[in-house]
Amino acid sequence: MTIDRRKFTLGLGLSALAAPISRAFADGLPTSLLGANPIWIPASTNPVPVPTNLGISGRVVVIGGGMGGATAAKYLRLWGGSGVKVTLVERATTYTSNIMSNLVLNGSLAMSSLSFGYDRLRRNYGISVVTGEVTGIDPVGKQVMLKSGTRLPYDRLIVAPGIEFDVIPGLESAAAQTLVPHAWKAGPQTTALRDRIKTLRRGGVFVMSIPAAPYRCPPGPYERACLVADYLKRNNPGAKVIVLDANPKIVAEAVNFGNAFNLTYAGIVDYRPGVSILSIDAAAGTVNTSAGPVKGDVINAIPPQRAGGIIATAGLNNVGGRWAGVDVLSYESTAARAIHVIGDAAATTQPKAGHIANQEAKVCVDAILRGFKGLPPDAAPVTNSACFSPITATTASWLTAILAYDPATGTMKSVTGAVEAPGPNAENFNQMKQWFSNLMTESFA
Amino acid sequence: MIHRLIPCLVLAAAGSGSALAQVTTYPPAGRLLAANCFQCHGTNGRAVSGFEKLSGKSAAEIAKEMTEMKAEATAQPGEKGIMGVHALGYNDAQIKAIANYFASQR
């Protein structure tokens, strides 16, 4: 952590980025949200107490401690009371946020600032957090099997495993994967990619690829292209960002990202829609695409995605073999009873992103608790997606939609359509930090 | 049918009042709808930074502000900021339910 921070200060000092950011955003932001190591969750969050008198009892196991799983665990206790016994199983001891992680790539944030522990969920809500690897689910005996041999019995199971990646041809070896990090799960790959960008040769070429939708965080790849371009514009004049998009056009925030590519980063970002990856020769730095070979000094290929492994292991991958079909009134699997799937792993009409996973968790929990009471799920659930995207180191845009249950199709349907900000600005950048602070406190504290 | 049902319910209510009351008040009205606001405005409206604290605010005030934002955002959704778009997502009954929920929180 300390080394990371020191490296950062050095990098920022050289690029003279740190000082203008702090000054520009000191207005209206608590000091805890300034600098490369913001404190997103305040020390004292005044948590709402777990009620003791609701008369609901049941055992719920939650697999996966990301945005959806952490929120579900918290709300099972907050809304279900002390009679609901909650076990959260997660293989990592801390969660690393994907949201905001592109800001590590342009030097605005330290990787260490995006780690979130599970202590507050334990302490504030009495959740049993088990660090372990799930090896299987027994839907008949209603048990979750762990690698350690432990079996966790449940009345209801919530599975929130996030995503896994396909292996792009040519990247089968660990060595090739090290040369071409996807950094689409924030962590060591994010730091590795940041370092590759920092050491890109003068006037070099950064090539990134975007898989066909659906993938995690629709605006994320375009945001990444902007922030890499932001860093290169300041630190490596003449360097280029080539964006190979398997989709026919920009998937999310088409106006703001289109303007960013054509105006803000004119001559730096070269956006190529409708180009898919066939294979990558990592050693040679060649990306073989549907439109011919593309050479790059640094290659960042975001692979096609599918639901986290346990979904396939448990036979819940009944949508295209990749995703878990669910009833969006309760998020109960359409393949197995008493098992619910939320977040990126679920096949719904909703975007795969952390903010909406938080609300999916609450809809799911509400339905499970009603079920414990012998009541049917809410017949008219509403969810919302909101996402702030940095466009430069000091400005951001946003994208939002409100979705309501449509009984005719049995799906969540957008009430407003996806609406993007009229343009990026500094105020949105401020709001982005406040949004992230509240979202992480709401999900993990 | 309806005539027969009403006396039944009245009897049930008289016989086991608390059980019926529990069934009809769980979960609290508006909670799941209002939970859409928690990501930015904090759990139960207790925002920790930036966005307005909604817990304990008067229901009339919350409903009035949302209705105004909705009216302004109707013409140009994005121009009134991200909250303008959110206000557009709810009908009057939903706005009232959300406002009442936050008013009941501390």
Tab-separated table of all heavy atoms in Angstrom, chain B residues 1-33:
chain	number	residue	atom	x	y	z
B	1	MET	N	-70.348	-12.417	-3.004
B	1	MET	CA	-68.964	-12.786	-2.689
B	1	MET	C	-68.323	-11.722	-1.796
B	1	MET	O	-67.858	-11.997	-0.699
B	1	MET	CB	-68.187	-12.924	-4.018
B	1	MET	CG	-66.828	-13.555	-3.871
B	1	MET	SD	-66.953	-15.329	-3.474
B	1	MET	CE	-65.256	-15.806	-3.469
B	2	ILE	N	-68.372	-10.519	-2.280
B	2	ILE	CA	-67.763	-9.421	-1.518
B	2	ILE	C	-68.439	-9.261	-0.157
B	2	ILE	O	-67.792	-9.125	0.862
B	2	ILE	CB	-67.842	-8.104	-2.326
B	2	ILE	CG1	-66.865	-8.202	-3.504
B	2	ILE	CG2	-67.496	-6.892	-1.461
B	2	ILE	CD1	-67.019	-7.158	-4.543
B	3	HIS	N	-69.795	-9.350	-0.185
B	3	HIS	CA	-70.548	-9.183	1.063
B	3	HIS	C	-70.176	-10.241	2.085
B	3	HIS	O	-70.113	-9.969	3.264
B	3	HIS	CB	-72.052	-9.229	0.776
B	3	HIS	CG	-72.535	-7.945	0.187
B	3	HIS	ND1	-72.792	-6.840	0.945
B	3	HIS	CD2	-72.776	-7.593	-1.093
B	3	HIS	CE1	-73.184	-5.848	0.147
B	3	HIS	NE2	-73.179	-6.283	-1.093
B	4	ARG	N	-69.936	-11.427	1.569
B	4	ARG	CA	-69.599	-12.524	2.475
B	4	ARG	C	-68.184	-12.355	3.041
B	4	ARG	O	-67.909	-12.698	4.167
B	4	ARG	CB	-69.687	-13.860	1.734
B	4	ARG	CG	-70.942	-14.632	2.108
B	4	ARG	CD	-71.016	-15.922	1.321
B	4	ARG	NE	-72.230	-15.935	0.527
B	4	ARG	CZ	-72.345	-16.613	-0.606
B	4	ARG	NH1	-71.348	-17.298	-1.090
B	4	ARG	NH2	-73.493	-16.612	-1.255
B	5	LEU	N	-67.316	-11.806	2.201
B	5	LEU	CA	-65.910	-11.689	2.583
B	5	LEU	C	-65.705	-10.651	3.689
B	5	LEU	O	-64.960	-10.871	4.626
B	5	LEU	CB	-65.100	-11.282	1.341
B	5	LEU	CG	-63.597	-11.485	1.421
B	5	LEU	CD1	-63.287	-12.952	1.658
B	5	LEU	CD2	-62.937	-11.037	0.121
B	6	ILE	N	-66.413	-9.547	3.585
B	6	ILE	CA	-66.175	-8.456	4.543
B	6	ILE	C	-66.435	-8.884	5.999
B	6	ILE	O	-65.547	-8.732	6.825
B	6	ILE	CB	-66.957	-7.179	4.148
B	6	ILE	CG1	-66.315	-6.622	2.874
B	6	ILE	CG2	-66.916	-6.128	5.252
B	6	ILE	CD1	-67.071	-5.520	2.213
B	7	PRO	N	-67.589	-9.482	6.305
B	7	PRO	CA	-67.800	-9.903	7.690
B	7	PRO	C	-66.722	-10.875	8.160
B	7	PRO	O	-66.271	-10.840	9.292
B	7	PRO	CB	-69.159	-10.596	7.662
B	7	PRO	CG	-69.814	-10.113	6.428
B	7	PRO	CD	-68.745	-9.768	5.463
B	8	CYS	N	-66.311	-11.737	7.240
B	8	CYS	CA	-65.252	-12.692	7.551
B	8	CYS	C	-64.004	-11.977	8.038
B	8	CYS	O	-63.417	-12.315	9.047
B	8	CYS	CB	-64.863	-13.470	6.285
B	8	CYS	SG	-65.492	-15.129	6.333
B	9	LEU	N	-63.594	-10.954	7.249
B	9	LEU	CA	-62.375	-10.222	7.588
B	9	LEU	C	-62.530	-9.500	8.917
B	9	LEU	O	-61.620	-9.459	9.721
B	9	LEU	CB	-62.053	-9.195	6.486
B	9	LEU	CG	-61.368	-9.778	5.254
B	9	LEU	CD1	-61.264	-8.732	4.172
B	9	LEU	CD2	-59.975	-10.305	5.621
B	10	VAL	N	-63.713	-8.937	9.124
B	10	VAL	CA	-63.964	-8.198	10.364
B	10	VAL	C	-63.833	-9.143	11.552
B	10	VAL	O	-63.177	-8.835	12.533
B	10	VAL	CB	-65.355	-7.527	10.343
B	10	VAL	CG1	-65.703	-6.970	11.713
B	10	VAL	CG2	-65.380	-6.426	9.296
B	11	LEU	N	-64.409	-10.353	11.393
B	11	LEU	CA	-64.319	-11.352	12.461
B	11	LEU	C	-62.869	-11.742	12.732
B	11	LEU	O	-62.421	-11.790	13.863
B	11	LEU	CB	-65.118	-12.605	12.079
B	11	LEU	CG	-66.624	-12.504	12.283
B	11	LEU	CD1	-67.285	-13.772	11.785
B	11	LEU	CD2	-66.970	-12.258	13.749
B	12	ALA	N	-62.153	-11.970	11.621
B	12	ALA	CA	-60.755	-12.368	11.765
B	12	ALA	C	-59.972	-11.269	12.464
B	12	ALA	O	-59.154	-11.535	13.344
B	12	ALA	CB	-60.145	-12.650	10.395
B	13	ALA	N	-60.277	-10.036	12.075
B	13	ALA	CA	-59.563	-8.909	12.658
B	13	ALA	C	-59.849	-8.818	14.154
B	13	ALA	O	-58.949	-8.559	14.955
B	13	ALA	CB	-59.959	-7.609	11.975
B	14	ALA	N	-61.091	-9.055	14.505
B	14	ALA	CA	-61.460	-8.962	15.924
B	14	ALA	C	-60.818	-10.093	16.713
B	14	ALA	O	-60.350	-9.908	17.818
B	14	ALA	CB	-62.979	-9.024	16.060
B	15	GLY	N	-60.766	-11.306	16.070
B	15	GLY	CA	-60.265	-12.481	16.756
B	15	GLY	C	-58.765	-12.469	16.962
B	15	GLY	O	-58.282	-12.771	18.037
B	16	SER	N	-58.040	-12.099	15.905
B	16	SER	CA	-56.584	-12.122	16.036
B	16	SER	C	-56.021	-10.837	15.426
B	16	SER	O	-55.339	-10.869	14.420
B	16	SER	CB	-56.006	-13.353	15.350
B	16	SER	OG	-56.414	-13.375	14.001
B	17	GLY	N	-56.370	-9.764	16.041
B	17	GLY	CA	-56.022	-8.428	15.521
B	17	GLY	C	-54.562	-8.245	15.211
B	17	GLY	O	-54.211	-7.775	14.133
B	18	SER	N	-53.701	-8.686	16.123
B	18	SER	CA	-52.285	-8.381	15.922
B	18	SER	C	-51.718	-9.155	14.737
B	18	SER	O	-50.934	-8.621	13.970
B	18	SER	CB	-51.491	-8.692	17.186
B	18	SER	OG	-51.576	-10.087	17.455
B	19	ALA	N	-52.156	-10.411	14.570
B	19	ALA	CA	-51.650	-11.219	13.458
B	19	ALA	C	-52.024	-10.585	12.124
B	19	ALA	O	-51.196	-10.446	11.234
B	19	ALA	CB	-52.212	-12.631	13.537
B	20	LEU	N	-53.260	-10.126	12.035
B	20	LEU	CA	-53.716	-9.520	10.785
B	20	LEU	C	-52.963	-8.214	10.538
B	20	LEU	O	-52.517	-7.944	9.426
B	20	LEU	CB	-55.233	-9.280	10.835
B	20	LEU	CG	-55.811	-8.813	9.503
B	20	LEU	CD1	-55.808	-9.947	8.489
B	20	LEU	CD2	-57.228	-8.288	9.681
B	21	ALA	N	-52.813	-7.429	11.612
B	21	ALA	CA	-52.131	-6.143	11.471
B	21	ALA	C	-50.711	-6.362	10.950
B	21	ALA	O	-50.250	-5.670	10.062
B	21	ALA	CB	-52.092	-5.415	12.806
B	22	GLN	N	-50.064	-7.419	11.474
B	22	GLN	CA	-48.696	-7.689	11.051
B	22	GLN	C	-48.641	-8.035	9.568
B	22	GLN	O	-47.805	-7.524	8.847
B	22	GLN	CB	-48.145	-8.853	11.861
B	22	GLN	CG	-46.835	-8.517	12.504
B	22	GLN	CD	-46.377	-9.625	13.422
B	22	GLN	OE1	-46.811	-10.761	13.305
B	22	GLN	NE2	-45.506	-9.307	14.340
B	23	VAL	N	-49.589	-8.862	9.149
B	23	VAL	CA	-49.613	-9.273	7.753
B	23	VAL	C	-49.831	-8.062	6.849
B	23	VAL	O	-49.178	-7.907	5.834
B	23	VAL	CB	-50.710	-10.334	7.513
B	23	VAL	CG1	-50.918	-10.553	6.019
B	23	VAL	CG2	-50.309	-11.649	8.170
B	24	THR	N	-50.701	-7.164	7.257
B	24	THR	CA	-51.010	-6.040	6.377
B	24	THR	C	-49.954	-4.935	6.444
B	24	THR	O	-49.874	-4.122	5.548
B	24	THR	CB	-52.393	-5.447	6.695
B	24	THR	OG1	-52.423	-5.196	8.101
B	24	THR	CG2	-53.501	-6.376	6.294
B	25	THR	N	-49.126	-4.887	7.482
B	25	THR	CA	-48.148	-3.797	7.549
B	25	THR	C	-46.727	-4.248	7.215
B	25	THR	O	-45.804	-3.474	7.237
B	25	THR	CB	-48.124	-3.137	8.949
B	25	THR	OG1	-47.839	-4.159	9.904
B	25	THR	CG2	-49.441	-2.472	9.277
B	26	TYR	N	-46.567	-5.548	6.934
B	26	TYR	CA	-45.233	-5.982	6.516
B	26	TYR	C	-45.244	-6.290	5.036
B	26	TYR	O	-46.108	-7.020	4.593
B	26	TYR	CB	-44.731	-7.210	7.282
B	26	TYR	CG	-43.292	-7.485	6.929
B	26	TYR	CD1	-42.271	-6.895	7.642
B	26	TYR	CD2	-42.965	-8.254	5.807
B	26	TYR	CE1	-40.944	-7.082	7.274
B	26	TYR	CE2	-41.636	-8.431	5.435
B	26	TYR	CZ	-40.637	-7.847	6.179
B	26	TYR	OH	-39.330	-8.008	5.802
B	27	PRO	N	-44.291	-5.771	4.255
B	27	PRO	CA	-43.282	-4.787	4.656
B	27	PRO	C	-43.877	-3.376	4.707
B	27	PRO	O	-44.932	-3.144	4.107
B	27	PRO	CB	-42.258	-4.897	3.531
B	27	PRO	CG	-43.027	-5.369	2.344
B	27	PRO	CD	-44.127	-6.223	2.864
B	28	PRO	N	-43.203	-2.457	5.381
B	28	PRO	CA	-43.745	-1.098	5.471
B	28	PRO	C	-44.001	-0.502	4.082
B	28	PRO	O	-43.208	-0.723	3.169
B	28	PRO	CB	-42.627	-0.317	6.180
B	28	PRO	CG	-41.809	-1.352	6.877
B	28	PRO	CD	-41.919	-2.608	6.059
B	29	ALA	N	-45.105	0.204	3.955
B	29	ALA	CA	-45.484	0.770	2.649
B	29	ALA	C	-44.373	1.672	2.110
B	29	ALA	O	-43.784	2.444	2.856
B	29	ALA	CB	-46.778	1.565	2.808
B	30	GLY	N	-44.105	1.544	0.822
B	30	GLY	CA	-43.164	2.448	0.152
B	30	GLY	C	-41.697	2.101	0.337
B	30	GLY	O	-40.837	2.713	-0.294
B	31	ARG	N	-41.385	1.090	1.184
B	31	ARG	CA	-39.982	0.839	1.502
B	31	ARG	C	-39.150	0.419	0.284
B	31	ARG	O	-38.066	0.963	0.039
B	31	ARG	CB	-39.877	-0.236	2.588
B	31	ARG	CG	-38.445	-0.457	3.056
B	31	ARG	CD	-38.368	-1.396	4.223
B	31	ARG	NE	-38.673	-2.778	3.847
B	31	ARG	CZ	-38.689	-3.786	4.708
B	31	ARG	NH1	-38.465	-3.570	5.992
B	31	ARG	NH2	-38.972	-5.010	4.291
B	32	LEU	N	-39.675	-0.547	-0.468
B	32	LEU	CA	-38.894	-1.055	-1.605
B	32	LEU	C	-38.725	0.010	-2.699
B	32	LEU	O	-37.672	0.118	-3.319
B	32	LEU	CB	-39.553	-2.320	-2.174
B	32	LEU	CG	-38.752	-3.083	-3.219
B	32	LEU	CD1	-37.363	-3.464	-2.715
B	32	LEU	CD2	-39.511	-4.327	-3.675
B	33	LEU	N	-39.773	0.810	-2.901
B	33	LEU	CA	-39.680	1.915	-3.873
B	33	LEU	C	-38.638	2.919	-3.406
B	33	LEU	O	-37.773	3.348	-4.177
B	33	LEU	CB	-41.028	2.634	-3.962
B	33	LEU	CG	-41.983	2.306	-5.083
B	33	LEU	CD1	-43.169	3.255	-5.003
B	33	LEU	CD2	-41.319	2.401	-6.452
